[in-house]
């Protein structure tokens, strides 16, 4: 008999306040014959100054010290980084990045920094195949010159192959719990370690013989899976547990370490001088600047955004990357959406219907790092004396096509039904704070 233990993390999102305890958990004395450490993606998040300033490389350094055996990526790595930056994110990683469903364009080549799968060998010579998959956002990945592959096409190819080459097949899945359950029903997988939907499976979940495990988000849990295999390397038992962070002991130096990580990031961000303001830019000022920047960069006469995107004033004097990050920490991008006149009328009706309720509506996720939606801000749409909707001063015609400059934030969260399926082009190469920084650099006095 052989005991194999899998320790895992997921969706840490640069929440370094949990990191000292998590690192100790991963490095703790081994209690099994063989122990492997895995991360299931979204380890980085550019809301934290150290991650933003180093483009995630500081996270890689921290993970190097925790002795991961393999990781996969989430959408924060894949979509929160420019193409070239993602290509070099893992240059100094001492662990393999496993990812089978993302190719590089043009040509759909395997990225140099990933392996589609890896076979690890335990101390007793059990062969453990590891597959990595991430959520295949078709439109957004392609805008960054990546081509995601359909999950089931990849597994149709890999699972039969790896079943012949390995004793166990484990999926590192940044796909979400509903997808994990579907895959457990369809494929011969021993374990699926999940992420993306931030779910916690306190004692795992058995689905059609596959053990599902997941450890929440932000380091609020860590995961431990205990497998026993016999002398022929067949699985005898498998158990999972999500361990609450509160069960992991603190040490006297933890708070100082956490603060040092923030301070180091803040210092690096402060070195990046963005713009000098002769007067404070209030939250309201930033909202109006956002509308102007969206219109200017897209060449469109109509834009909308919301005041909840701006968390604090930008002070008078020289503002730095840290100031912009503190006000706009979101992973949110500019977007142009195309609507018919009839759809535009329906959208403005939704605006009017929900305007009051949205002011204090609490939100989280999908790149948003604030608290509430706030006030709806619109420029270029109004009504004439007869109540007819006007786009840039001209009455809207129901069958005509119109374009609006806005942010992808309003597409991913279910605010306005009209936007959910409307054609859209998202500029994944720039965050909101970077858009505003460029605008202010051009126009600030």
């Amino acid at each position: 008999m052989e005991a194999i233990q899998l320790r895992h993390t997921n969706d840490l999102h640069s929440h370094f306040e949990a990191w000292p305890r998590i690192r100790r958990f991963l490095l703790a004395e081994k209690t099994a014959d063989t122990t492997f450490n895995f991360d299931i993606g979204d380890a980085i998040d550019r809301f934290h100054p150290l991650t933003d300033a180093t483009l995630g490389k500081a996270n890689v350094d921290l993970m190097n010290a925790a002795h991961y055996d393999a990781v996969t990526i989430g959408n924060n790595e894949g979509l929160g980084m420019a193409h070239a930056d993602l290509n070099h994110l893992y240059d100094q990683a001492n662990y393999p990045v496993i990812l089978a469903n993302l190719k590089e364009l043009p040509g759909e080549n395997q990225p140099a920094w990933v392996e589609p799968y890896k076979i690890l060998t335990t101390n007793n010579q059990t062969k453990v195949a590891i597959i990595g998959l991430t959520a295949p956002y078709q439109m957004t990945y392609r805008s960054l010159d990546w081509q995601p592959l359909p999950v089931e096409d990849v597994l149709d190819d890999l699972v039969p192959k790896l079943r012949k080459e390995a004793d166990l097949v484990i999926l590192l899945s940044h796909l979400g719990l509903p997808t994990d359950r579907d895959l457990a029903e369809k494929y011969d997988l021993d374990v699926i370690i999940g992420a993306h939907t931030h779910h916690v499976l306190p004692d795992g979940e058995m689905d059609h013989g596959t053990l599902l495990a997941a450890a929440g988000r932000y380091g609020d849990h860590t995961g431990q899976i205990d497998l026993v295999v016999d002398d022929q390397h067949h699985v005898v038992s498998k158990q999972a547990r999500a361990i609450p962070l509160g069960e992991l002991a603190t040490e006297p130096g933890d708070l100082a370490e956490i603060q040092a990580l923030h301070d180091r990031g803040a210092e690096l961000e402060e070195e990046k001088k963005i713009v000098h303001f002769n007067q404070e830019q209030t939250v309201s000022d930033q909202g109006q600047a956002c509308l102007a920047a969206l219109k200017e960069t897209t060449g469109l006469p109509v834009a909308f955004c919301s005041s909840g995107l701006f968390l604090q004033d930008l002070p008078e004097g020289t503002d730095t990357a840290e100031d912009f990050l503190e006000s706009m920490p979101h992973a949110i991008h500019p977007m142009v959406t195309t609507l018919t006149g009839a759809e535009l009328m329906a959208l403005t009706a939704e605006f009017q219907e929900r305007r009051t309720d949205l002011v204090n509506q609490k939100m989280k996720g999908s790149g948003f790092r604030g608290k509430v939606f706030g006030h709806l801000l619109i420029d270029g749409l109004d009504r004439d004396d007869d109540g007819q909707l006007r786009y840039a001063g001209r009455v809207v015609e129901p069958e005509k096509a119109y374009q609006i400059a806005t942010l992808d934030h309003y597409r991913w969260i279910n605010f306005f039904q009209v936007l959910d399926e409307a054609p859209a082009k998202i500029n994944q190469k720039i965050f909101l704070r970077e858009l505003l920084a460029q605008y202010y650099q051009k126009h600030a006095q």
Side-chain angles (χ1 to χ4, degrees), residues 52-268:
D52 194 56
T54 65
L55 294 176
K57 291 186 177 181
N59 299 65
V60 172
D61 291 340
L62 292 172
M63 294 175 74
N64 281 342
H67 298 175
Y68 281 93
D69 293 282
V71 308
T72 194
I73 74 165
N75 42 289
N76 268 267
E77 289 91 1
L79 298 174
M81 309 284 290
H83 186 104
D85 293 327
L86 181 56
N87 265 339
H88 292 286
L89 174 62
Y90 298 103
D91 284 353
Q92 302 303 316
N94 62 14
Y95 48 81
V97 181
I98 311 301
L99 184 60
N101 69 322
L102 194 69
K103 301 298 182 181
E104 188 166 22
L105 297 172
E108 295 196 17
N109 301 309
Q110 183 73 19
W113 47 274
V114 299
E115 304 173 52
Y117 66 89
K118 190 173 185 67
I119 297 179
L120 304 175
T121 303
T122 70
N123 293 329
N124 289 7
Q125 302 304 304
T126 300
K127 295 186 182 301
V128 182
I130 309 298
I131 304 170
L133 295 172
T134 198
Y137 292 104
Q138 287 290 335
M139 179 174 64
T140 46
Y141 268 117
R142 285 188 63 85
S143 71
L144 287 170
D145 296 323
W146 301 108
Q147 176 60 59
L149 304 180
V151 166
E152 294 193 13
D153 288 355
V154 171
L155 292 178
D156 286 344
D157 177 57
L158 283 184
V159 172
K161 167 186 170 67
L162 293 177
R163 271 294 164 204
K164 296 176 182 178
E165 297 181 14
D167 303 300
L168 304 176
V169 180
I170 294 172
L171 174 62
L172 310 184
S173 166
H174 199 91
L175 301 171
L177 182 58
T179 301
D180 291 348
R181 286 170 171 159
D182 288 342
L183 297 181
E185 182 177 357
K186 295 176 182 177
Y187 294 96
D188 185 11
L189 299 165
D190 293 287
V191 178
I192 299 175
I193 312 178
H196 187 46
T197 44
H198 296 178
H199 53 290
V200 180
L201 298 177
D203 298 301
E205 178 178 303
M206 290 295 296
D207 281 296
H208 299 82
T210 298
L211 176 64
L212 274 57
R217 63 174 185 174
Y218 306 162
D220 57 12
H221 292 75
T222 52
Q224 179 174 305
I225 298 167
D226 290 293
L227 309 174
V228 177
V229 299
D230 62 22
D231 293 339
Q232 287 72 48
H233 311 293
H234 299 145
V235 177
V236 174
S237 68
K238 42 190 173 182
Q239 296 179 318
R241 182 179 175 223
I243 303 168
L245 182 64
E247 293 187 15
L248 304 181
T250 60
E251 291 189 359
D254 287 357
L255 291 178
E257 179 183 352
I258 294 162
Q259 188 63 48
L261 292 172
H262 181 276
D263 291 348
R264 179 183 161 209
E267 289 171 5
L268 292 172

Side-chain angles (χ1 to χ4, degrees), residues 375-437:
H375 294 280
L376 191 63
L377 308 174
I378 307 171
D379 190 11
L381 286 177
D382 63 4
R383 293 188 181 275
D384 63 18
D385 293 339
D386 296 324
Q388 296 183 97
L389 182 65
R390 297 192 303 183
Y391 175 98
R394 296 190 176 184
V395 174
V396 171
E397 302 174 32
E399 302 301 322
K400 188 175 178 179
Y402 297 88
Q403 290 188 310
I404 298 177
T406 185
L407 301 163
D408 63 349
H409 174 52
Y410 309 110
R411 186 178 182 88
W412 305 138
I413 297 181
N414 188 26
F415 297 122
F416 309 112
Q417 185 176 356
V418 174
L419 294 181
D420 290 347
E421 300 298 331
K425 185 175 182 179
I426 299 170
N427 182 358
Q428 290 286 148
K429 298 178 181 179
I430 189 170
F431 282 158
L432 169 63
R433 62 179 172 274
E434 296 166 333
L435 176 74
L436 263 289

Side-chain angles (χ1 to χ4, degrees), residues 318-422:
T318 299
D319 282 50
T320 68
E322 172 71 359
D323 296 308
F324 278 78
L325 179 65
E326 288 293 320
S327 182
M328 294 162 272
H330 326 286
I332 289 174
H333 309 85
M335 178 179 79
V336 172
T337 187
T338 302
L339 304 171
T340 65
E343 289 170 334
L344 185 55
M345 294 174 192
L347 178 62
T348 57
E350 286 191 85
F351 285 167
Q352 187 62 34
E353 179 182 354
R354 302 201 59 198
R355 186 186 294 265
T356 301
D357 293 338
L358 285 172
V359 172
N360 295 310
Q361 181 173 318
K362 295 181 179 179
M363 301 182 307
K364 61 175 63 176
S366 297
F368 182 70
R369 305 292 182 255
K371 295 182 178 180
V372 298
F373 183 95
H375 294 280
L376 191 63
L377 308 174
I378 307 171
D379 190 11
L381 286 177
D382 63 4
R383 293 188 181 275
D384 63 18
D385 293 339
D386 296 324
Q388 296 183 97
L389 182 65
R390 297 192 303 183
Y391 175 98
R394 296 190 176 184
V395 174
V396 171
E397 302 174 32
E399 302 301 322
K400 188 175 178 179
Y402 297 88
Q403 290 188 310
I404 298 177
T406 185
L407 301 163
D408 63 349
H409 174 52
Y410 309 110
R411 186 178 182 88
W412 305 138
I413 297 181
N414 188 26
F415 297 122
F416 309 112
Q417 185 176 356
V418 174
L419 294 181
D420 290 347
E421 300 298 331

